[in-house]
């Protein structure tokens, strides 16, 4: 099984209320898992947010914590609720209402990867799904909440940046009338998961760096944004989706020629976002 549920990188000095996290970039595919799938080692990576961790791993240099998954999305989906179990995959699970994510095979233990390709032949024992949730889902989320609590304790407020990538075709049809195709989609659950000021400033940072940005279309944020976004408690969550085509070869799942250019541009944006939590100079002077 995957060696660890997560990797947490803390800054030398916590100077930001922002926590960056990448729940879908885990790429530890042990043989014990692969031998139970009907997919090859390349195909099973198709739903992975490949290299997103490398795009955002500079966050601790700007005083912010960075958390990334250890287990891959095809093994356990950390952006789902722990009870989003798929009765078509997990033995003993009964259908209860309609959940479009579960129905499409994208529950907490996924049944399919990109383009609806089945991961397994047959069902998984309930005990196996339970074990993955216990050993990987819960440790990741406990650590994420702990990092947010640390930021909140230090600054009175915490902001989660939930980092993802999207297939290039995901934004087909979004750009109309000659507008640029979105390269970045910012999700705040249509204003429910974060302060508008934070979201406006995040969008402005991407726009100023030359990226075409869309808000909440086609991705408004899933479980993590909804669960952790509690503006009334001064805990905010914003999802960032990056078009994979601008930094990687989607077919080969490798960085493309623009990877380092995009990474450099994101470094500046990450610095700006992390600075949203930096202590104000004038308030320090007044102490």
């Amino acid at each position: 099984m995957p060696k660890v549920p997560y990797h947490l990188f803390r800054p030398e000095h916590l100077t930001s209320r922002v926590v960056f996290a990448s729940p879908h970039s885990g790429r530890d595919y042990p043989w014990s898992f692969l031998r139970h799938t009907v997919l090859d080692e390349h195909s099973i990576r198709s739903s992975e947010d490949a290299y997103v961790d490398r795009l955002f791993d500079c966050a601790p240099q700007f005083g912010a914590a960075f958390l990334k998954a250890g287990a891959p999305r095809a093994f356990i989906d950390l952006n789902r609720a722990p009870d989003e179990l798929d009765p078509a995959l997990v033995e003993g699970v009964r259908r209860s209402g309609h959940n479009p994510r579960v129905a499409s095979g994208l529950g907490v233990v996924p049944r399919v990867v990109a383009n609806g390709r089945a991961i397994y032949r047959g069902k998984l024992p309930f005990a196996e799904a339970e074990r993955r949730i216990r050993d990987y889902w819960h440790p990741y989320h406990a650590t994420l909440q702990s990092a947010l609590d640390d930021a909140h304790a230090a600054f009175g407020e915490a902001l989660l940046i939930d980092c993802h990538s999207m297939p290039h075709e995901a934004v087909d049809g979004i750009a109309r009338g000659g507008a640029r195709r979105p390269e970045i989609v910012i999700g705040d659950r249509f204003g429910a998961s974060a302060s508008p000021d934070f979201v406006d400033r995040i969008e402005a940072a991407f726009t100023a760096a030359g990226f075409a940005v869309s808000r909440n279309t086609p991705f408004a944020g899933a479980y993590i944004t909804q669960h952790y976004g509690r503006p009334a408690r001064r805990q905010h969550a914003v999802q960032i989706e990056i078009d994979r085509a601008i930094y990687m070869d989607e077919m080969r799942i490798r960085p493309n020629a623009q990877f380092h250019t995009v990474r450099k541009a994101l470094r500046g944006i990450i610095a700006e976002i992390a600075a949203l939590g930096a202590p104000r100079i004038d308030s320090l002077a007044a102490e």
Side-chain angles (χ1 to χ4, degrees), residues 21-27 29 44-56 72-74 77 79 162-167 239-242 244 247-248 253:
S22 177
H24 287 163
S25 60
R27 50 183 176 270
Y29 295 89
I44 203 165
R45 295 188 63 195
S46 59
S47 59
E48 175 189 314
D49 286 350
Y51 308 108
V52 164
D53 53 335
R54 287 179 57 189
L55 294 177
F56 286 89
R73 183 184 187 182
D77 192 335
N79 199 19
D162 194 43
C163 310
H164 296 264
S165 66
M166 57 187 176
Q239 178 178 279
I240 304 295
E241 294 272 4
I242 303 174
R244 292 173 187 163
Y247 73 88
M248 66 176 276
I253 315 181

Side-chain angles (χ1 to χ4, degrees), residues 220-247:
Y223 170 79
I224 287 175
T225 314
Q226 182 176 19
H227 179 76
Y228 290 97
R230 296 287 184 267
R233 302 178 191 173
R234 299 180 67 80
Q235 178 174 287
H236 311 263
V238 176
Q239 178 178 279
I240 304 295
E241 294 272 4
I242 303 174
D243 182 353
R244 292 173 187 163
I246 69 173
Y247 73 88

Side-chain angles (χ1 to χ4, degrees), residues 182-200:
E183 297 162 318
I184 306 293
V185 178
I186 296 173
D188 66 350
R189 304 288 299 180
F190 297 95
S193 69
S195 158
D197 180 59
F198 280 144
V199 184
D200 288 345

Side-chain angles (χ1 to χ4, degrees), residues 19 54 69 166 211 214 280:
V19 175
R54 287 179 57 189
M166 57 187 176
F211 292 99
S214 172
R280 290 172 57 91

Side-chain angles (χ1 to χ4, degrees), residues 92-130:
V93 174
R94 295 182 179 181
R95 295 187 184 279
S96 58
H98 178 67
N99 182 315
R101 294 190 292 262
V102 172
S104 64
L106 297 172
V108 65
V109 179
R111 172 166 43 91
V112 302
V113 293
N115 300 317
R117 289 171 292 180
I119 298 173
Y120 309 96
R121 185 181 292 110
K123 290 192 172 187
L124 292 179
F126 182 81
E128 171 61 17
E130 207 172 34

Side-chain angles (χ1 to χ4, degrees), residues 21 32 35 41 44 51-52 62 70 74 88 90 112 159 227 233 245 277 281 285:
S32 58
R35 68 188 178 91
E41 294 181 36
I44 203 165
Y51 308 108
V52 164
F62 302 108
V90 182
V112 302
L159 169 61
H227 179 76
R233 302 178 191 173
I281 299 300

